[in-house]
Amino acid sequence: MKLPILYSFRRCPYAMRGRLAIAHAGIQVELREVLLRDKPLEMLEVSPKGTVPVLVLPNGKIIEESFDIMNWALSAKTITHNECKLVFLCDTDFKPWLDQYKYPNKNKNYNREITLEQAGKYLDLLEAHLHKNIFLFGGARGFADIGIAPFIRQFANVDIEWFLESNRPNLIAWYKEFIEWDGFESIMIKHPRWFFGDPITFFP
Ligand SMILES: N[C@@H](CCC(=O)N[C@@H](CS)C(=O)NCC(=O)O)C(=O)O
């Protein structure tokens, strides 16, 4: 049976959320680990925009946005408008500040305090959600947790002491639960770079 093909890059948070959703849904795909600076032609042919993740379905359909891959994988579960909105805000409002924070040298006007204040607005929003439940929308991990956690992990890793000392106990507990979750560990297993003709790497 032909499997969907997932072009992915281990450390990319967008690819992580795609892998998390696929693994969470219990779907099996063929994993093709790429090098961002030398992407395979097979991937660029089907998705010329050149970002990962890219999912190629057996019927030839291409899904080239991580959000859409999560939607595809988790479609059996009910995804609410509010969950989508929180993930969307992560990509539009939080990610630009995360990029500034991660790569301060790329912007000569970089200001750490402003960045932390602006990114902090989104962190506060998550903190408020987590006030009621251990996951963002209830007692079980869902679309929003999977879609957002890889980005919060990246943010935390820039200055872990600052993050752990910030006054957001629920967010910190949620973050720790995520990084210690074996479901997360399992999607972070290292795979060699894919080359045409290689044997299939099954994921998960
Ligand atoms: N909107 C895209 C963004 C994906 C994205 O930007 N991925 C990065 C890696 S984290 C990428 O592939 N960048 C291309 C490159 O670095 O050449 C999505 O959600 O899938």
Side-chain angles (χ1 to χ4, degrees), residues 12-14 17 36 39 49-53 64-67 91:
C12 166
Y14 297 101
R17 63 157 62 140
L36 290 181
K39 292 163 197 141
K49 78 181 171 68
T51 62
V52 288
E64 50 184 353
E65 282 293 324
S66 59
F67 190 92
D91 294 11

Side-chain angles (χ1 to χ4, degrees), residues 69-202:
I69 293 175
M70 285 196 297
N71 250 320
W72 172 82
L74 300 173
S75 62
K77 310 200 168 126
T78 318
I79 303 165
T80 65
H81 174 72
N82 286 343
E83 283 176 283
C84 284
K85 201 169 147 195
L86 201 61
V87 175
F88 182 74
L89 281 179
C90 172
D91 294 11
T92 55
D93 288 21
F94 177 69
K95 179 68 164 62
W97 295 108
L98 167 61
D99 288 342
Q100 298 249 348
Y101 189 43
K102 260 190 90 182
Y103 308 107
N105 298 334
K106 282 196 182 167
N107 174 2
K108 63 178 171 27
N109 298 320
Y110 173 72
N111 180 314
R112 180 181 158 97
E113 285 190 356
I114 293 178
T115 304
L116 288 175
E117 189 188 310
Q118 292 301 321
K121 291 181 187 171
Y122 187 70
L123 301 181
D124 287 341
L125 183 62
L126 299 183
E127 175 71 12
H129 273 269
L130 294 163
H131 190 61
K132 292 182 230 136
N133 297 295
I134 60 163
F135 293 106
L136 287 166
F137 286 90
R141 192 183 321 274
F143 182 81
D145 303 281
I146 283 172
I148 296 166
F151 296 84
I152 302 305
R153 172 181 168 269
Q154 269 201 346
F155 183 90
N157 281 347
V158 177
D159 183 348
I160 189 69
E161 279 174 24
W162 182 90
F163 182 77
L164 294 178
E165 281 163 20
S166 65
N167 190 22
R168 297 183 180 100
N170 300 307
L171 180 67
I172 292 167
W174 174 82
Y175 155 81
K176 285 188 176 164
E177 191 281 337
F178 175 70
I179 57 164
E180 285 162 14
W181 173 41
D182 53 8
F184 173 62
E185 278 173 20
S186 72
I187 68 115
M188 293 304 282
I189 291 169
K190 287 189 182 165
H191 296 283
R193 179 183 175 189
W194 175 80
F195 289 99
F196 180 78
D198 279 353
I200 292 178
T201 298
F202 294 99

